[in-house]
Amino acid sequence: MAGGNAVRSRDRRTERTGPVLFYRQVVAELRKVVWPTQQQLVTYFFVVMVFVAFMMALIAGLDLAFGKLTFWLFSGHSSS
Protein backbone atom coordinates (compact mmCIF):
# COMPACT_ATOMS: atom_id res chain seq x y z
CA MET A 1 0.00 0.00 0.00
CA ALA A 2 2.75 2.48 0.87
CA GLY A 3 4.46 1.88 -2.48
CA GLY A 4 1.29 2.82 -4.33
CA ASN A 5 1.16 6.20 -2.59
CA ALA A 6 4.77 6.89 -3.52
CA VAL A 7 4.04 6.15 -7.18
CA ARG A 8 0.99 8.46 -7.19
CA SER A 9 3.01 11.19 -5.47
CA ARG A 10 5.76 10.88 -8.08
CA ASP A 11 3.20 11.06 -10.91
CA ARG A 12 1.75 14.32 -9.54
CA ARG A 13 5.17 15.95 -9.44
CA THR A 14 5.85 15.20 -13.11
CA GLU A 15 2.45 16.59 -14.17
CA ARG A 16 2.89 20.21 -15.20
CA THR A 17 0.38 23.01 -14.83
CA GLY A 18 -0.30 25.10 -17.91
CA PRO A 19 0.11 28.87 -17.80
CA VAL A 20 -3.65 29.58 -18.01
CA LEU A 21 -4.46 27.25 -15.11
CA PHE A 22 -1.56 28.69 -13.13
CA TYR A 23 -2.84 32.24 -13.69
CA ARG A 24 -6.36 31.23 -12.61
CA GLN A 25 -4.97 29.64 -9.44
CA VAL A 26 -2.92 32.76 -8.65
CA VAL A 27 -5.97 35.01 -9.09
CA ALA A 28 -8.08 32.67 -6.93
CA GLU A 29 -5.46 32.74 -4.15
CA LEU A 30 -5.13 36.53 -4.33
CA ARG A 31 -8.90 36.86 -3.87
CA LYS A 32 -8.53 35.04 -0.53
CA VAL A 33 -6.00 37.58 0.77
CA VAL A 34 -7.26 40.05 3.36
CA TRP A 35 -5.62 43.28 2.21
CA PRO A 36 -4.84 45.92 4.86
CA THR A 37 -6.66 49.24 4.83
CA GLN A 38 -4.70 52.40 4.13
CA GLN A 39 -4.79 53.32 7.85
CA GLN A 40 -3.39 49.88 8.80
CA LEU A 41 -0.70 50.22 6.15
CA VAL A 42 0.38 53.63 7.47
CA THR A 43 0.39 52.29 11.04
CA TYR A 44 2.48 49.26 10.10
CA PHE A 45 4.89 51.50 8.16
CA PHE A 46 5.52 53.75 11.17
CA VAL A 47 5.87 50.79 13.55
CA VAL A 48 8.51 49.26 11.28
CA MET A 49 10.34 52.59 10.86
CA VAL A 50 10.45 53.18 14.64
CA PHE A 51 11.70 49.64 15.24
CA VAL A 52 14.40 49.96 12.59
CA ALA A 53 15.53 53.35 13.97
CA PHE A 54 15.66 51.88 17.50
CA MET A 55 17.70 48.89 16.34
CA MET A 56 20.09 51.14 14.39
CA ALA A 57 20.65 53.30 17.49
CA LEU A 58 21.15 50.23 19.68
CA ILE A 59 23.69 48.66 17.31
CA ALA A 60 25.50 51.98 16.81
CA GLY A 61 25.70 52.48 20.59
CA LEU A 62 27.01 48.96 21.18
CA ASP A 63 29.54 49.40 18.36
CA LEU A 64 30.75 52.67 19.85
CA ALA A 65 30.98 51.18 23.36
CA PHE A 66 32.86 48.06 22.24
CA GLY A 67 35.17 50.18 20.06
CA LYS A 68 36.05 52.49 22.95
CA LEU A 69 36.53 49.50 25.27
CA THR A 70 38.82 47.81 22.76
CA PHE A 71 40.93 50.94 22.24
CA TRP A 72 41.11 51.45 26.02
CA LEU A 73 42.26 47.85 26.59
CA PHE A 74 44.88 47.83 23.84
CA SER A 75 46.10 51.44 23.95
CA GLY A 76 48.94 50.56 26.33
CA HIS A 77 47.74 52.38 29.44
CA SER A 78 49.98 51.53 32.37
CA SER A 79 49.48 52.31 36.04
CA SER A 80 53.05 53.69 36.51
PDB file of all heavy atoms in Angstrom, residues 7-39:
ATOM      1  N   VAL A   7       4.139   6.078  -5.722  1.00  0.00           N
ATOM      2  CA  VAL A   7       4.038   6.155  -7.182  1.00  0.00           C
ATOM      3  C   VAL A   7       3.087   7.285  -7.564  1.00  0.00           C
ATOM      4  O   VAL A   7       3.381   8.082  -8.446  1.00  0.00           O
ATOM      5  CB  VAL A   7       3.558   4.805  -7.768  1.00  0.00           C
ATOM      6  CG1 VAL A   7       3.226   4.950  -9.244  1.00  0.00           C
ATOM      7  CG2 VAL A   7       4.624   3.746  -7.562  1.00  0.00           C
ATOM      8  N   ARG A   8       1.938   7.389  -6.882  1.00  0.00           N
ATOM      9  CA  ARG A   8       0.991   8.461  -7.188  1.00  0.00           C
ATOM     10  C   ARG A   8       1.612   9.825  -6.912  1.00  0.00           C
ATOM     11  O   ARG A   8       1.431  10.760  -7.661  1.00  0.00           O
ATOM     12  CB  ARG A   8      -0.286   8.288  -6.358  1.00  0.00           C
ATOM     13  CG  ARG A   8      -1.304   7.430  -7.072  1.00  0.00           C
ATOM     14  CD  ARG A   8      -2.617   7.450  -6.327  1.00  0.00           C
ATOM     15  NE  ARG A   8      -2.817   6.082  -5.855  1.00  0.00           N
ATOM     16  CZ  ARG A   8      -3.094   5.725  -4.634  1.00  0.00           C
ATOM     17  NH1 ARG A   8      -3.250   6.620  -3.693  1.00  0.00           N
ATOM     18  NH2 ARG A   8      -3.238   4.465  -4.308  1.00  0.00           N
ATOM     19  N   SER A   9       2.360   9.931  -5.824  1.00  0.00           N
ATOM     20  CA  SER A   9       3.012  11.189  -5.471  1.00  0.00           C
ATOM     21  C   SER A   9       4.021  11.582  -6.550  1.00  0.00           C
ATOM     22  O   SER A   9       4.118  12.736  -6.934  1.00  0.00           O
ATOM     23  CB  SER A   9       3.705  11.055  -4.122  1.00  0.00           C
ATOM     24  OG  SER A   9       4.441  12.199  -3.839  1.00  0.00           O
ATOM     25  N   ARG A  10       4.770  10.614  -7.039  1.00  0.00           N
ATOM     26  CA  ARG A  10       5.760  10.877  -8.081  1.00  0.00           C
ATOM     27  C   ARG A  10       5.062  11.308  -9.367  1.00  0.00           C
ATOM     28  O   ARG A  10       5.523  12.213 -10.056  1.00  0.00           O
ATOM     29  CB  ARG A  10       6.601   9.621  -8.323  1.00  0.00           C
ATOM     30  CG  ARG A  10       7.841   9.908  -9.118  1.00  0.00           C
ATOM     31  CD  ARG A  10       8.764   8.720  -9.306  1.00  0.00           C
ATOM     32  NE  ARG A  10       8.712   7.717  -8.272  1.00  0.00           N
ATOM     33  CZ  ARG A  10       8.416   6.422  -8.484  1.00  0.00           C
ATOM     34  NH1 ARG A  10       8.158   6.001  -9.695  1.00  0.00           N
ATOM     35  NH2 ARG A  10       8.393   5.559  -7.492  1.00  0.00           N
ATOM     36  N   ASP A  11       3.919  10.698  -9.697  1.00  0.00           N
ATOM     37  CA  ASP A  11       3.195  11.057 -10.908  1.00  0.00           C
ATOM     38  C   ASP A  11       2.684  12.501 -10.848  1.00  0.00           C
ATOM     39  O   ASP A  11       2.698  13.215 -11.831  1.00  0.00           O
ATOM     40  CB  ASP A  11       2.015  10.109 -11.137  1.00  0.00           C
ATOM     41  CG  ASP A  11       2.473   8.717 -11.535  1.00  0.00           C
ATOM     42  OD1 ASP A  11       3.644   8.586 -11.965  1.00  0.00           O
ATOM     43  OD2 ASP A  11       1.686   7.771 -11.404  1.00  0.00           O
ATOM     44  N   ARG A  12       2.252  12.951  -9.674  1.00  0.00           N
ATOM     45  CA  ARG A  12       1.753  14.317  -9.536  1.00  0.00           C
ATOM     46  C   ARG A  12       2.870  15.336  -9.744  1.00  0.00           C
ATOM     47  O   ARG A  12       2.648  16.403 -10.265  1.00  0.00           O
ATOM     48  CB  ARG A  12       1.155  14.520  -8.145  1.00  0.00           C
ATOM     49  CG  ARG A  12      -0.277  14.107  -8.082  1.00  0.00           C
ATOM     50  CD  ARG A  12      -0.892  14.553  -6.782  1.00  0.00           C
ATOM     51  NE  ARG A  12      -1.619  13.423  -6.250  1.00  0.00           N
ATOM     52  CZ  ARG A  12      -1.705  13.079  -4.998  1.00  0.00           C
ATOM     53  NH1 ARG A  12      -1.105  13.788  -4.086  1.00  0.00           N
ATOM     54  NH2 ARG A  12      -2.382  12.028  -4.619  1.00  0.00           N
ATOM     55  N   ARG A  13       4.065  15.004  -9.292  1.00  0.00           N
ATOM     56  CA  ARG A  13       5.168  15.947  -9.439  1.00  0.00           C
ATOM     57  C   ARG A  13       5.571  16.124 -10.904  1.00  0.00           C
ATOM     58  O   ARG A  13       5.992  17.192 -11.294  1.00  0.00           O
ATOM     59  CB  ARG A  13       6.373  15.496  -8.626  1.00  0.00           C
ATOM     60  CG  ARG A  13       6.235  15.856  -7.164  1.00  0.00           C
ATOM     61  CD  ARG A  13       7.475  15.505  -6.453  1.00  0.00           C
ATOM     62  NE  ARG A  13       7.492  14.051  -6.323  1.00  0.00           N
ATOM     63  CZ  ARG A  13       8.405  13.349  -5.702  1.00  0.00           C
ATOM     64  NH1 ARG A  13       9.417  13.950  -5.147  1.00  0.00           N
ATOM     65  NH2 ARG A  13       8.338  12.044  -5.618  1.00  0.00           N
ATOM     66  N   THR A  14       5.450  15.092 -11.711  1.00  0.00           N
ATOM     67  CA  THR A  14       5.847  15.199 -13.112  1.00  0.00           C
ATOM     68  C   THR A  14       4.768  15.877 -13.950  1.00  0.00           C
ATOM     69  O   THR A  14       5.052  16.354 -15.031  1.00  0.00           O
ATOM     70  CB  THR A  14       6.164  13.812 -13.693  1.00  0.00           C
ATOM     71  OG1 THR A  14       5.010  12.986 -13.589  1.00  0.00           O
ATOM     72  CG2 THR A  14       7.337  13.195 -12.985  1.00  0.00           C
ATOM     73  N   GLU A  15       3.535  15.941 -13.446  1.00  0.00           N
ATOM     74  CA  GLU A  15       2.449  16.586 -14.174  1.00  0.00           C
ATOM     75  C   GLU A  15       2.616  18.097 -14.063  1.00  0.00           C
ATOM     76  O   GLU A  15       2.719  18.651 -12.983  1.00  0.00           O
ATOM     77  CB  GLU A  15       1.113  16.165 -13.558  1.00  0.00           C
ATOM     78  CG  GLU A  15      -0.090  16.674 -14.287  1.00  0.00           C
ATOM     79  CD  GLU A  15      -1.362  16.189 -13.633  1.00  0.00           C
ATOM     80  OE1 GLU A  15      -1.448  14.994 -13.331  1.00  0.00           O
ATOM     81  OE2 GLU A  15      -2.242  17.028 -13.405  1.00  0.00           O
ATOM     82  N   ARG A  16       2.656  18.765 -15.202  1.00  0.00           N
ATOM     83  CA  ARG A  16       2.894  20.211 -15.198  1.00  0.00           C
ATOM     84  C   ARG A  16       1.587  20.971 -15.354  1.00  0.00           C
ATOM     85  O   ARG A  16       0.678  20.528 -16.032  1.00  0.00           O
ATOM     86  CB  ARG A  16       3.859  20.583 -16.303  1.00  0.00           C
ATOM     87  CG  ARG A  16       5.231  19.957 -16.082  1.00  0.00           C
ATOM     88  CD  ARG A  16       6.258  20.497 -17.005  1.00  0.00           C
ATOM     89  NE  ARG A  16       6.323  21.935 -16.984  1.00  0.00           N
ATOM     90  CZ  ARG A  16       7.277  22.632 -16.380  1.00  0.00           C
ATOM     91  NH1 ARG A  16       8.232  22.008 -15.733  1.00  0.00           N
ATOM     92  NH2 ARG A  16       7.283  23.945 -16.436  1.00  0.00           N
ATOM     93  N   THR A  17       1.539  22.141 -14.729  1.00  0.00           N
ATOM     94  CA  THR A  17       0.376  23.009 -14.830  1.00  0.00           C
ATOM     95  C   THR A  17       0.602  23.988 -15.968  1.00  0.00           C
ATOM     96  O   THR A  17       1.673  24.583 -16.084  1.00  0.00           O
ATOM     97  CB  THR A  17       0.204  23.803 -13.514  1.00  0.00           C
ATOM     98  OG1 THR A  17       0.093  22.878 -12.449  1.00  0.00           O
ATOM     99  CG2 THR A  17      -1.013  24.685 -13.560  1.00  0.00           C
ATOM    100  N   GLY A  18      -0.405  24.153 -16.792  1.00  0.00           N
ATOM    101  CA  GLY A  18      -0.300  25.097 -17.906  1.00  0.00           C
ATOM    102  C   GLY A  18      -0.364  26.535 -17.410  1.00  0.00           C
ATOM    103  O   GLY A  18      -0.814  26.806 -16.293  1.00  0.00           O
ATOM    104  N   PRO A  19       0.079  27.473 -18.232  1.00  0.00           N
ATOM    105  CA  PRO A  19       0.115  28.874 -17.803  1.00  0.00           C
ATOM    106  C   PRO A  19      -1.273  29.460 -17.497  1.00  0.00           C
ATOM    107  O   PRO A  19      -1.420  30.246 -16.577  1.00  0.00           O
ATOM    108  CB  PRO A  19       0.764  29.619 -18.958  1.00  0.00           C
ATOM    109  CG  PRO A  19       0.963  28.639 -20.047  1.00  0.00           C
ATOM    110  CD  PRO A  19       0.655  27.282 -19.535  1.00  0.00           C
ATOM    111  N   VAL A  20      -2.301  29.047 -18.232  1.00  0.00           N
ATOM    112  CA  VAL A  20      -3.648  29.583 -18.007  1.00  0.00           C
ATOM    113  C   VAL A  20      -4.179  29.094 -16.668  1.00  0.00           C
ATOM    114  O   VAL A  20      -4.712  29.876 -15.865  1.00  0.00           O
ATOM    115  CB  VAL A  20      -4.600  29.193 -19.159  1.00  0.00           C
ATOM    116  CG1 VAL A  20      -6.021  29.625 -18.860  1.00  0.00           C
ATOM    117  CG2 VAL A  20      -4.110  29.792 -20.471  1.00  0.00           C
ATOM    118  N   LEU A  21      -4.011  27.800 -16.381  1.00  0.00           N
ATOM    119  CA  LEU A  21      -4.458  27.247 -15.106  1.00  0.00           C
ATOM    120  C   LEU A  21      -3.677  27.865 -13.957  1.00  0.00           C
ATOM    121  O   LEU A  21      -4.238  28.212 -12.912  1.00  0.00           O
ATOM    122  CB  LEU A  21      -4.300  25.728 -15.094  1.00  0.00           C
ATOM    123  CG  LEU A  21      -4.708  25.026 -13.790  1.00  0.00           C
ATOM    124  CD1 LEU A  21      -6.168  25.309 -13.463  1.00  0.00           C
ATOM    125  CD2 LEU A  21      -4.446  23.539 -13.892  1.00  0.00           C
ATOM    126  N   PHE A  22      -2.384  28.052 -14.160  1.00  0.00           N
ATOM    127  CA  PHE A  22      -1.555  28.687 -13.129  1.00  0.00           C
ATOM    128  C   PHE A  22      -2.063  30.094 -12.833  1.00  0.00           C
ATOM    129  O   PHE A  22      -2.207  30.489 -11.678  1.00  0.00           O
ATOM    130  CB  PHE A  22      -0.093  28.727 -13.585  1.00  0.00           C
ATOM    131  CG  PHE A  22       0.814  29.439 -12.623  1.00  0.00           C
ATOM    132  CD1 PHE A  22       1.210  28.834 -11.443  1.00  0.00           C
ATOM    133  CD2 PHE A  22       1.260  30.713 -12.904  1.00  0.00           C
ATOM    134  CE1 PHE A  22       2.045  29.496 -10.556  1.00  0.00           C
ATOM    135  CE2 PHE A  22       2.095  31.387 -12.024  1.00  0.00           C
ATOM    136  CZ  PHE A  22       2.482  30.773 -10.843  1.00  0.00           C
ATOM    137  N   TYR A  23      -2.339  30.877 -13.864  1.00  0.00           N
ATOM    138  CA  TYR A  23      -2.839  32.239 -13.690  1.00  0.00           C
ATOM    139  C   TYR A  23      -4.172  32.227 -12.932  1.00  0.00           C
ATOM    140  O   TYR A  23      -4.378  33.037 -12.024  1.00  0.00           O
ATOM    141  CB  TYR A  23      -2.996  32.915 -15.059  1.00  0.00           C
ATOM    142  CG  TYR A  23      -3.565  34.298 -14.974  1.00  0.00           C
ATOM    143  CD1 TYR A  23      -2.789  35.365 -14.526  1.00  0.00           C
ATOM    144  CD2 TYR A  23      -4.888  34.547 -15.327  1.00  0.00           C
ATOM    145  CE1 TYR A  23      -3.317  36.643 -14.431  1.00  0.00           C
ATOM    146  CE2 TYR A  23      -5.422  35.819 -15.236  1.00  0.00           C
ATOM    147  CZ  TYR A  23      -4.637  36.862 -14.791  1.00  0.00           C
ATOM    148  OH  TYR A  23      -5.171  38.118 -14.701  1.00  0.00           O
ATOM    149  N   ARG A  24      -5.060  31.320 -13.300  1.00  0.00           N
ATOM    150  CA  ARG A  24      -6.357  31.228 -12.608  1.00  0.00           C
ATOM    151  C   ARG A  24      -6.166  30.885 -11.130  1.00  0.00           C
ATOM    152  O   ARG A  24      -6.860  31.415 -10.270  1.00  0.00           O
ATOM    153  CB  ARG A  24      -7.236  30.161 -13.274  1.00  0.00           C
ATOM    154  CG  ARG A  24      -7.812  30.602 -14.584  1.00  0.00           C
ATOM    155  CD  ARG A  24      -8.718  29.547 -15.149  1.00  0.00           C
ATOM    156  NE  ARG A  24      -9.154  29.917 -16.486  1.00  0.00           N
ATOM    157  CZ  ARG A  24      -9.596  29.072 -17.378  1.00  0.00           C
ATOM    158  NH1 ARG A  24      -9.667  27.784 -17.094  1.00  0.00           N
ATOM    159  NH2 ARG A  24      -9.979  29.488 -18.569  1.00  0.00           N
ATOM    160  N   GLN A  25      -5.231  29.999 -10.837  1.00  0.00           N
ATOM    161  CA  GLN A  25      -4.966  29.636  -9.436  1.00  0.00           C
ATOM    162  C   GLN A  25      -4.383  30.820  -8.667  1.00  0.00           C
ATOM    163  O   GLN A  25      -4.733  31.038  -7.509  1.00  0.00           O
ATOM    164  CB  GLN A  25      -4.024  28.441  -9.378  1.00  0.00           C
ATOM    165  CG  GLN A  25      -4.668  27.145  -9.833  1.00  0.00           C
ATOM    166  CD  GLN A  25      -3.676  25.998  -9.906  1.00  0.00           C
ATOM    167  OE1 GLN A  25      -2.469  26.215  -9.914  1.00  0.00           O
ATOM    168  NE2 GLN A  25      -4.192  24.782  -9.968  1.00  0.00           N
ATOM    169  N   VAL A  26      -3.509  31.578  -9.301  1.00  0.00           N
ATOM    170  CA  VAL A  26      -2.923  32.757  -8.649  1.00  0.00           C
ATOM    171  C   VAL A  26      -4.015  33.770  -8.343  1.00  0.00           C
ATOM    172  O   VAL A  26      -4.088  34.306  -7.228  1.00  0.00           O
ATOM    173  CB  VAL A  26      -1.827  33.386  -9.537  1.00  0.00           C
ATOM    174  CG1 VAL A  26      -1.426  34.760  -9.017  1.00  0.00           C
ATOM    175  CG2 VAL A  26      -0.620  32.476  -9.610  1.00  0.00           C
ATOM    176  N   VAL A  27      -4.887  34.044  -9.302  1.00  0.00           N
ATOM    177  CA  VAL A  27      -5.970  35.006  -9.090  1.00  0.00           C
ATOM    178  C   VAL A  27      -6.894  34.513  -7.987  1.00  0.00           C
ATOM    179  O   VAL A  27      -7.315  35.288  -7.116  1.00  0.00           O
ATOM    180  CB  VAL A  27      -6.740  35.249 -10.409  1.00  0.00           C
ATOM    181  CG1 VAL A  27      -8.014  36.046 -10.160  1.00  0.00           C
ATOM    182  CG2 VAL A  27      -5.851  35.959 -11.411  1.00  0.00           C
ATOM    183  N   ALA A  28      -7.206  33.223  -7.970  1.00  0.00           N
ATOM    184  CA  ALA A  28      -8.078  32.673  -6.930  1.00  0.00           C
ATOM    185  C   ALA A  28      -7.441  32.813  -5.552  1.00  0.00           C
ATOM    186  O   ALA A  28      -8.128  33.140  -4.572  1.00  0.00           O
ATOM    187  CB  ALA A  28      -8.385  31.201  -7.231  1.00  0.00           C
ATOM    188  N   GLU A  29      -6.136  32.590  -5.441  1.00  0.00           N
ATOM    189  CA  GLU A  29      -5.457  32.737  -4.149  1.00  0.00           C
ATOM    190  C   GLU A  29      -5.409  34.196  -3.717  1.00  0.00           C
ATOM    191  O   GLU A  29      -5.560  34.503  -2.541  1.00  0.00           O
ATOM    192  CB  GLU A  29      -4.044  32.157  -4.211  1.00  0.00           C
ATOM    193  CG  GLU A  29      -4.001  30.647  -4.280  1.00  0.00           C
ATOM    194  CD  GLU A  29      -4.614  29.981  -3.055  1.00  0.00           C
ATOM    195  OE1 GLU A  29      -4.399  30.472  -1.927  1.00  0.00           O
ATOM    196  OE2 GLU A  29      -5.312  28.978  -3.231  1.00  0.00           O
ATOM    197  N   LEU A  30      -5.188  35.113  -4.678  1.00  0.00           N
ATOM    198  CA  LEU A  30      -5.134  36.529  -4.331  1.00  0.00           C
ATOM    199  C   LEU A  30      -6.490  37.047  -3.866  1.00  0.00           C
ATOM    200  O   LEU A  30      -6.554  37.987  -3.078  1.00  0.00           O
ATOM    201  CB  LEU A  30      -4.626  37.352  -5.511  1.00  0.00           C
ATOM    202  CG  LEU A  30      -3.131  37.239  -5.785  1.00  0.00           C
ATOM    203  CD1 LEU A  30      -2.765  37.994  -7.058  1.00  0.00           C
ATOM    204  CD2 LEU A  30      -2.325  37.774  -4.616  1.00  0.00           C
ATOM    205  N   ARG A  31      -7.563  36.454  -4.331  1.00  0.00           N
ATOM    206  CA  ARG A  31      -8.896  36.864  -3.870  1.00  0.00           C
ATOM    207  C   ARG A  31      -9.121  36.471  -2.414  1.00  0.00           C
ATOM    208  O   ARG A  31      -9.942  37.074  -1.736  1.00  0.00           O
ATOM    209  CB  ARG A  31      -9.969  36.229  -4.747  1.00  0.00           C
ATOM    210  CG  ARG A  31     -10.075  36.902  -6.082  1.00  0.00           C
ATOM    211  CD  ARG A  31     -11.268  36.438  -6.869  1.00  0.00           C
ATOM    212  NE  ARG A  31     -11.293  37.114  -8.161  1.00  0.00           N
ATOM    213  CZ  ARG A  31     -11.607  36.542  -9.298  1.00  0.00           C
ATOM    214  NH1 ARG A  31     -11.956  35.274  -9.328  1.00  0.00           N
ATOM    215  NH2 ARG A  31     -11.596  37.224 -10.412  1.00  0.00           N
ATOM    216  N   LYS A  32      -8.389  35.477  -1.922  1.00  0.00           N
ATOM    217  CA  LYS A  32      -8.527  35.039  -0.530  1.00  0.00           C
ATOM    218  C   LYS A  32      -7.771  35.942   0.436  1.00  0.00           C
ATOM    219  O   LYS A  32      -8.019  35.918   1.632  1.00  0.00           O
ATOM    220  CB  LYS A  32      -7.990  33.611  -0.363  1.00  0.00           C
ATOM    221  CG  LYS A  32      -8.752  32.565  -1.131  1.00  0.00           C
ATOM    222  CD  LYS A  32      -8.099  31.213  -0.904  1.00  0.00           C
ATOM    223  CE  LYS A  32      -8.665  30.148  -1.792  1.00  0.00           C
ATOM    224  NZ  LYS A  32      -7.969  28.861  -1.597  1.00  0.00           N
ATOM    225  N   VAL A  33      -6.855  36.745  -0.083  1.00  0.00           N
ATOM    226  CA  VAL A  33      -6.005  37.583   0.768  1.00  0.00           C
ATOM    227  C   VAL A  33      -6.837  38.696   1.388  1.00  0.00           C
ATOM    228  O   VAL A  33      -7.643  39.335   0.719  1.00  0.00           O
ATOM    229  CB  VAL A  33      -4.840  38.187  -0.049  1.00  0.00           C
ATOM    230  CG1 VAL A  33      -4.048  39.192   0.772  1.00  0.00           C
ATOM    231  CG2 VAL A  33      -3.941  37.089  -0.569  1.00  0.00           C
ATOM    232  N   VAL A  34      -6.630  38.926   2.687  1.00  0.00           N
ATOM    233  CA  VAL A  34      -7.258  40.050   3.358  1.00  0.00           C
ATOM    234  C   VAL A  34      -6.271  41.206   3.298  1.00  0.00           C
ATOM    235  O   VAL A  34      -5.255  41.215   3.993  1.00  0.00           O
ATOM    236  CB  VAL A  34      -7.593  39.704   4.830  1.00  0.00           C
ATOM    237  CG1 VAL A  34      -8.221  40.891   5.530  1.00  0.00           C
ATOM    238  CG2 VAL A  34      -8.491  38.486   4.889  1.00  0.00           C
ATOM    239  N   TRP A  35      -6.538  42.171   2.429  1.00  0.00           N
ATOM    240  CA  TRP A  35      -5.624  43.281   2.215  1.00  0.00           C
ATOM    241  C   TRP A  35      -5.811  44.305   3.322  1.00  0.00           C
ATOM    242  O   TRP A  35      -6.921  44.589   3.747  1.00  0.00           O
ATOM    243  CB  TRP A  35      -5.887  43.917   0.850  1.00  0.00           C
ATOM    244  CG  TRP A  35      -5.636  42.968  -0.278  1.00  0.00           C
ATOM    245  CD1 TRP A  35      -6.559  42.247  -0.949  1.00  0.00           C
ATOM    246  CD2 TRP A  35      -4.367  42.610  -0.820  1.00  0.00           C
ATOM    247  NE1 TRP A  35      -5.954  41.465  -1.900  1.00  0.00           N
ATOM    248  CE2 TRP A  35      -4.609  41.663  -1.844  1.00  0.00           C
ATOM    249  CE3 TRP A  35      -3.065  42.994  -0.565  1.00  0.00           C
ATOM    250  CZ2 TRP A  35      -3.586  41.110  -2.585  1.00  0.00           C
ATOM    251  CZ3 TRP A  35      -2.043  42.440  -1.313  1.00  0.00           C
ATOM    252  CH2 TRP A  35      -2.314  41.513  -2.312  1.00  0.00           C
ATOM    253  N   PRO A  36      -4.716  44.907   3.803  1.00  0.00           N
ATOM    254  CA  PRO A  36      -4.843  45.917   4.860  1.00  0.00           C
ATOM    255  C   PRO A  36      -5.448  47.207   4.319  1.00  0.00           C
ATOM    256  O   PRO A  36      -5.286  47.538   3.147  1.00  0.00           O
ATOM    257  CB  PRO A  36      -3.402  46.145   5.316  1.00  0.00           C
ATOM    258  CG  PRO A  36      -2.560  45.759   4.156  1.00  0.00           C
ATOM    259  CD  PRO A  36      -3.310  44.667   3.450  1.00  0.00           C
ATOM    260  N   THR A  37      -6.130  47.928   5.219  1.00  0.00           N
ATOM    261  CA  THR A  37      -6.658  49.239   4.827  1.00  0.00           C
ATOM    262  C   THR A  37      -5.498  50.223   4.767  1.00  0.00           C
ATOM    263  O   THR A  37      -4.386  49.928   5.220  1.00  0.00           O
ATOM    264  CB  THR A  37      -7.690  49.730   5.851  1.00  0.00           C
ATOM    265  OG1 THR A  37      -7.024  49.920   7.111  1.00  0.00           O
ATOM    266  CG2 THR A  37      -8.832  48.740   6.012  1.00  0.00           C
ATOM    267  N   GLN A  38      -5.758  51.407   4.231  1.00  0.00           N
ATOM    268  CA  GLN A  38      -4.698  52.404   4.133  1.00  0.00           C
ATOM    269  C   GLN A  38      -4.221  52.810   5.528  1.00  0.00           C
ATOM    270  O   GLN A  38      -3.029  52.991   5.754  1.00  0.00           O
ATOM    271  CB  GLN A  38      -5.185  53.623   3.357  1.00  0.00           C
ATOM    272  CG  GLN A  38      -4.081  54.644   3.133  1.00  0.00           C
ATOM    273  CD  GLN A  38      -4.513  55.803   2.258  1.00  0.00           C
ATOM    274  OE1 GLN A  38      -5.663  55.890   1.848  1.00  0.00           O
ATOM    275  NE2 GLN A  38      -3.604  56.704   1.983  1.00  0.00           N
ATOM    276  N   GLN A  39      -5.160  52.938   6.483  1.00  0.00           N
ATOM    277  CA  GLN A  39      -4.787  53.320   7.846  1.00  0.00           C
ATOM    278  C   GLN A  39      -3.903  52.240   8.480  1.00  0.00           C
ATOM    279  O   GLN A  39      -2.912  52.553   9.147  1.00  0.00           O
ATOM    280  CB  GLN A  39      -6.036  53.538   8.698  1.00  0.00           C
ATOM    281  CG  GLN A  39      -5.732  53.992  10.111  1.00  0.00           C
ATOM    282  CD  GLN A  39      -4.958  55.301  10.145  1.00  0.00           C
ATOM    283  OE1 GLN A  39      -5.257  56.213   9.375  1.00  0.00           O
ATOM    284  NE2 GLN A  39      -3.970  55.402  11.012  1.00  0.00           N
TER     285      GLN A  39
END
